[in-house]
């Protein structure tokens, strides 16, 4: 029987997990698994704000991560996907190439979202990817004492970036621009903790402030306020690239792939989407946020679905839930904020050293699990059915 070709686009938290798990659960006699990734190292996106602030962050080489797993690694940038022909086009230093697939896992993640604000692309920095975080790292390293840094956005990325830069480079003047109240999505106690952390680190907070444009050397706000800035860091959300929409896959208005409960494309059933690339609806009926946790849940569900479809087994289901946020506030402080079934902050929170240690464990576990993609999985490798099952929506555990 001809080998079934599984191609995974992206080797972030979601893609690496899917590729490793499939390699452990499916027989290499029947499947060929290829991972395509632009960077040779695994990027700890959870820690890119630390990397930008000048800290050394471990970046395992993907060739070593997948060594001995049977997963093939192709270092290249994905330039196009043709789901009708079942072909992926890539480009690397040697030029362009394309190859076919039988099952595709789309895990190309996201990048910073400018929201169309003038000047962001030309003058702002971000920590959405390792190359952009490296660019910011080099910029911050070149600032003199008293250099002015403005961080736009008080979501998790903005909060972590502002506090990390302020703690790592106390000689810089750091300002944080929040569109509404600082930490509005946190509980009352957590908001107070966050405000005290900003005061302790000397961060100037501009609340209820909307940025109208970013220019060289300054940030212009809608109310006329002008903030002098030697380095502007844009952390006002994330967006996915245009590749999925251009391919003809059914996507949302913002380009995220529409899938069923199995993470299977509703328009092309041999394509699965995981991580930030997918619009995944949680068990509470609300879209899951772009996060490392969502990458894990969607990746696990897609893996269950692919194994079930290819082997003729019934599909196991993974809980799709959003339970809380872990926010680093430098290296010695953090906030752990749990949420309820509607995604709203619970009244209580955990802060300080205990939350810092908890966040450190989460980060370590994420790195370790990605660096050991087949550890602890069943050694038994399933053989493929004569023909893939046409539906993978069963909910009985395999």
């Amino acid at each position: 029987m001809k080998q079934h070709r599984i191609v995974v686009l992206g080797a972030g938290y979601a893609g690496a997990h899917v590729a490793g798990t499939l390699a452990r659960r499916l027989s290499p006699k029947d499947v060929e698994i290829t991972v395509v990734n632009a960077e040779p190292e695994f990027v700890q996106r959870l820690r890119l704000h630390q990397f930008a602030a000048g800290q050394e962050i471990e970046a395992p080489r993907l060739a070593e991560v997948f060594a001995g797993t049977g997963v093939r690694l192709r270092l290249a940038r994905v330039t196009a996907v043709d789901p009708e022909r079942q072909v992926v086009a890539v480009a690397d230093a040697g030029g362009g190439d394309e190859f076919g697939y039988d099952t595709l896992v789309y895990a190309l993640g996201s990048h910073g979202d400018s929201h169309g604000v003038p000047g962001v692309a030309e003058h702002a920095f971000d920590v959405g990817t390792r190359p952009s975080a490296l660019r910011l790292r080099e910029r911050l390293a070149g600032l003199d004492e008293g250099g002015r840094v403005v961080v736009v956005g008080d979501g998790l990325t903005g909060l972590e970036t502002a506090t990390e830069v302020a703690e790592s480079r106390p000689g810089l003047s750091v300002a944080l621009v929040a569109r509404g109240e600082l930490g509005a999505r946190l509980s009352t106690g957590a908001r107070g903790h966050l405000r005290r952390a900003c005061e302790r680190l000397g961060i100037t907070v501009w609340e209820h402030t909307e940025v109208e444009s970013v220019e060289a050397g300054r940030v212009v706000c809608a109310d006329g306020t002008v903030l002098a800035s030697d380095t502007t860091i844009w952390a006002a959300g994330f967006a996915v690239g245009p590749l999925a929409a251009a391919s003809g896959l059914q996507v949302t208005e913002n380009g995220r792939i529409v899938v069923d409960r199995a993470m299977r494309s509703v328009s092309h059933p041999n394509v699965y989407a995981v991580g930030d690339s997918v619009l995944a609806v949680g068990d509470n009926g609300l879209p899951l946020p772009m996060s490392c946790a969502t990458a894990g849940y969607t990746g696990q569900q897609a893996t269950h679905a692919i194994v079930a479809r290819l082997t003729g087994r019934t599909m196991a289901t993974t809980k799709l839930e959003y339970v809380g946020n872990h926010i680093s506030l430098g290296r010695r402080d953090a906030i752990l904020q749990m949420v309820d079934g509607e995604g709203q902050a619970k009244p209580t929170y955990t802060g300080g050293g205990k939350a810092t240690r908890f966040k450190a464990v989460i980060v370590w576990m994420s790195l370790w699990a990605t660096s050991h993609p087949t550890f602890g999985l069943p050694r038994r490798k399933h053989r493929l059915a004569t023909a893939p099952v046409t539906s993978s929506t069963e909910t009985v555990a395999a």
Side-chain angles (χ1 to χ4, degrees), residues 1 16 44 48 95 100 105 112 167 214 221 226 231 252 263 269 275 281 290 302 310 337 387:
M1 183 174 66
Q44 290 197 71
L48 283 179
V105 180
E167 183 178 89
V214 177
C221 304
V226 176
T231 300
T252 62
M263 301 301 120
V281 178
M290 294 181 178
L310 297 183
Q337 177 69 72

Side-chain angles (χ1 to χ4, degrees), residues 28-377:
K29 296 179 181 179
D30 298 338
V31 299
E32 174 188 282
I33 302 172
T34 301
V35 173
V36 183
N37 200 66
E39 299 289 329
E41 297 89 12
F42 171 71
V43 177
Q44 290 197 71
R45 194 167 183 183
L46 285 174
R47 302 182 67 187
L48 283 179
H49 60 287
Q50 293 176 245
F51 178 71
Q55 300 168 35
E56 295 304 319
I57 304 301
E58 187 177 353
R61 295 188 65 81
L62 291 173
E64 298 174 2
V65 168
F66 293 120
T69 65
V71 174
R72 300 182 180 188
L73 175 63
R74 177 67 186 272
L75 295 177
R77 179 174 56 87
V78 181
T79 58
V81 175
D82 187 339
E84 303 303 329
R85 296 171 52 221
Q86 297 185 197
V87 166
V88 173
V90 300
D92 56 23
D97 188 15
E98 67 175 29
F99 49 88
Y101 64 84
D102 298 303
T103 294
L104 182 71
V105 180
Y106 194 107
L108 290 178
S110 61
H111 56 78
D113 188 357
S114 69
H115 296 288
V117 175
V120 172
E122 296 83 0
H123 304 296
F125 297 78
D126 68 78
V127 295
T129 64
R130 192 178 191 281
S132 63
L134 176 60
R135 179 170 165 262
L136 173 58
R137 177 189 178 102
E138 294 170 346
R139 174 75 170 200
L140 292 174
L143 293 182
D144 296 327
E145 292 293 303
R148 299 158 300 187
V149 177
V150 175
V151 180
V152 180
D154 70 326
L156 273 62
T157 301
L159 295 176
E160 294 194 325
T161 302
T163 53
E164 201 72 49
V165 171
E167 183 178 89
S168 298
R169 296 289 305 277
L172 298 179
S173 173
V174 179
L176 176 62
V177 179
R179 192 170 185 177
E181 180 184 359
L182 179 66
R185 289 172 291 182
L186 301 174
S187 63
T188 301
R191 289 199 300 272
H193 186 107
L194 173 60
R195 196 174 297 277
R196 291 190 295 273
C198 288
E199 292 172 352
R200 171 173 54 82
L201 294 169
I203 298 172
T204 301
V205 178
W206 293 83
E207 296 179 274
H208 306 288
T209 303
E210 186 170 351
V211 172
E212 188 171 78
S213 66
V214 177
E215 302 176 5
R218 67 179 196 167
V219 174
V220 180
C221 304
D223 62 0
T225 301
V226 176
L227 305 177
S229 176
D230 298 305
T231 300
T232 300
I233 304 174
W234 191 262
F238 293 92
V240 299
L243 194 64
S247 73
L249 292 168
Q250 185 172 330
V251 299
T252 62
E253 290 184 359
N254 61 8
R256 299 174 79 181
I257 299 173
V258 181
V259 296
D260 60 17
R261 183 58 172 76
M263 301 301 120
R264 194 176 187 182
S265 166
V266 297
S267 62
H268 294 80
N270 61 343
V271 175
Y272 295 79
V274 296
D276 289 355
S277 303
V278 65
L279 175 66
V281 178
D283 295 335
N284 61 358
L286 301 174
L288 293 175
M290 294 181 178
S291 69
C292 179
T294 297
Y297 295 142
T298 56
Q300 187 176 54
Q301 183 59 75
T303 302
H304 288 323
I306 293 170
V307 171
R309 181 171 66 91
L310 297 183
T311 64
R313 297 169 180 270
T314 51
M315 186 185 74
T317 55
T318 298
K319 285 185 178 181
L320 300 178
E321 56 185 353
Y322 167 48
V323 297
N325 295 315
H326 315 96
I327 309 169
S328 296
L329 304 174
R331 295 297 86 213
R332 295 181 294 276
D333 195 5
I335 290 172
L336 170 59
Q337 177 69 72
M338 306 305 286
V339 301
D340 59 24
E342 298 300 314
Q344 301 300 310
K346 292 184 177 180
T348 59
Y349 80 100
T350 301
K354 185 176 181 180
T356 302
R357 291 188 292 274
F358 190 88
K359 177 64 180 286
V361 170
I362 294 294
V363 171
W364 180 86
M365 288 176 62
S366 298
L367 174 62
W368 195 93
T370 304
S371 301
H372 302 78
T374 61
F375 181 83
L377 296 175

